[in-house]
Amino acid sequence: MADTTFWTCPPDLEVRGHGDDYTLTLLLPPFPAGTVNFSPHDPKEARHFAENFDTVDEILEELPPASAADSLALETRSDLEIIKVGCWGNVISITDPSLADNIGDCPLLGASNTLRERYPDARIVGSADVHLGGDHTEDTIQLPDGVMLHAEGWLGVEPLEVTGDPQAVVRALAISSEALAQEAIDLDEEPDEIDWRALGRLALGPCDPWGRADLRMSVFRVRHTRGSTLRMEESWFFNQ
């Protein structure tokens, strides 16, 4: 295994705090509205996607596959090197701890913008958070026609910074008022009162893979890029 030389802290250093979500999902056309039968996971395509992902410098090791219902346990620094990628036909998903930060770099938005260039026809939905004394969240929805939203900030500490047009996203996806009500989403509330992650689930609809034990994913230990590694050190260890 290659040396993860970008880290300046030891692999057994304990992670302080935790994250519940650091995911990006691409839904490629066609966009189904009814019941979806996911295609079998494609490990070769998953590896290709991981090798070309914004935050990844190199794949160091392929680990046994896991399901989309399995959470990544973040206990030590070495756990931050683990990512999962699922490729099920027109649905591609990745969970990567480097997508979460608490220093305002917005890595989720950066990665989704790169994917937008590679997959201009995709619907892209992402969510990431870090809990270190407070809750820092980042969420994004990007649609093929350029309609998007991005929300980022510290919950309950400062107003979330929202860019784009959430109402336009809802209209473009034809999300009903009943569906919003079921998720307790009221877009007239203050931004830090809105469950942006739940809106992302509605954007994916039946193609939301997360939490499904029947969907397999490839698991990789990676060397993240230098910038991603330094940001993770700042977010998960030094900025406490």
Side-chain angles (χ1 to χ4, degrees):
M1 183 187 301
D3 183 24
T4 54
T5 53
F6 296 149
W7 290 105
T8 64
C9 55
D12 59 351
L13 182 64
E14 181 180 351
V15 171
R16 302 292 180 87
H18 66 281
D20 295 325
D21 192 11
Y22 17 82
T23 62
L24 267 173
T25 297
L26 287 81
L27 176 57
L28 302 168
F31 304 128
T35 303
V36 172
N37 293 318
F38 279 74
S39 299
H41 171 59
D42 185 339
K44 182 177 179 180
E45 182 61 29
R47 187 179 186 91
H48 176 75
F49 184 84
E51 288 173 335
N52 291 277
F53 193 63
D54 226 22
T55 68
V56 174
D57 183 70
E58 182 182 356
I59 292 176
L60 303 177
E61 180 183 11
E62 184 163 359
L63 303 173
S67 83
D70 295 333
S71 299
L72 295 177
L74 301 184
E75 297 179 357
T76 65
R77 190 220 80 185
S78 63
D79 295 327
L80 296 171
E81 300 170 352
I82 306 299
I83 70 171
K84 297 195 305 179
V85 179
C87 292
W88 311 282
N90 68 324
V91 182
I92 304 172
S93 293
I94 183 169
T95 179
D96 178 353
S98 73
L99 293 174
D101 85 335
N102 63 3
I103 57 177
D105 275 2
C106 298
L108 188 77
L109 180 62
S112 63
N113 285 340
T114 300
L115 291 174
R116 162 65 58 236
E117 296 175 2
R118 291 172 54 193
Y119 303 92
D121 297 328
R123 184 183 305 173
I124 302 173
V125 177
S127 182
D129 56 53
V130 177
H131 307 277
L132 284 167
D135 299 331
H136 183 274
T137 66
E138 185 183 1
D139 295 271
T140 190
I141 299 173
Q142 297 200 31
L143 306 183
D145 57 4
V147 174
M148 63 86 70
L149 72 85
H150 176 254
E152 180 269 334
W154 289 92
L155 293 176
V157 177
E158 58 188 15
L160 293 190
E161 183 175 343
V162 179
T163 56
D165 189 341
Q167 294 284 3
V169 169
V170 168
R171 290 193 299 270
L173 296 175
I175 298 174
S176 68
S177 57
E178 291 79 12
L180 291 173
Q182 285 183 344
E183 294 288 344
I185 298 172
D186 181 354
L187 294 179
D188 292 327
E189 291 184 333
E190 294 298 319
D192 60 349
E193 298 294 329
I194 297 173
D195 189 343
W196 299 108
R197 187 188 304 181
L199 185 59
R201 291 195 298 266
L202 291 178
L204 291 174
C207 294
D208 182 3
W210 301 110
R212 292 191 48 163
D214 60 314
L215 297 180
R216 308 305 291 168
M217 302 184 73
S218 295
V219 182
F220 305 104
R221 181 177 298 278
V222 304
R223 176 170 57 236
H224 287 94
T225 63
R226 181 184 299 275
S228 294
T229 303
L230 295 177
R231 185 172 56 243
M232 282 193 289
E233 287 193 332
E234 185 72 16
S235 296
W236 295 95
F237 301 109
F238 302 149
N239 190 16
Q240 300 176 27

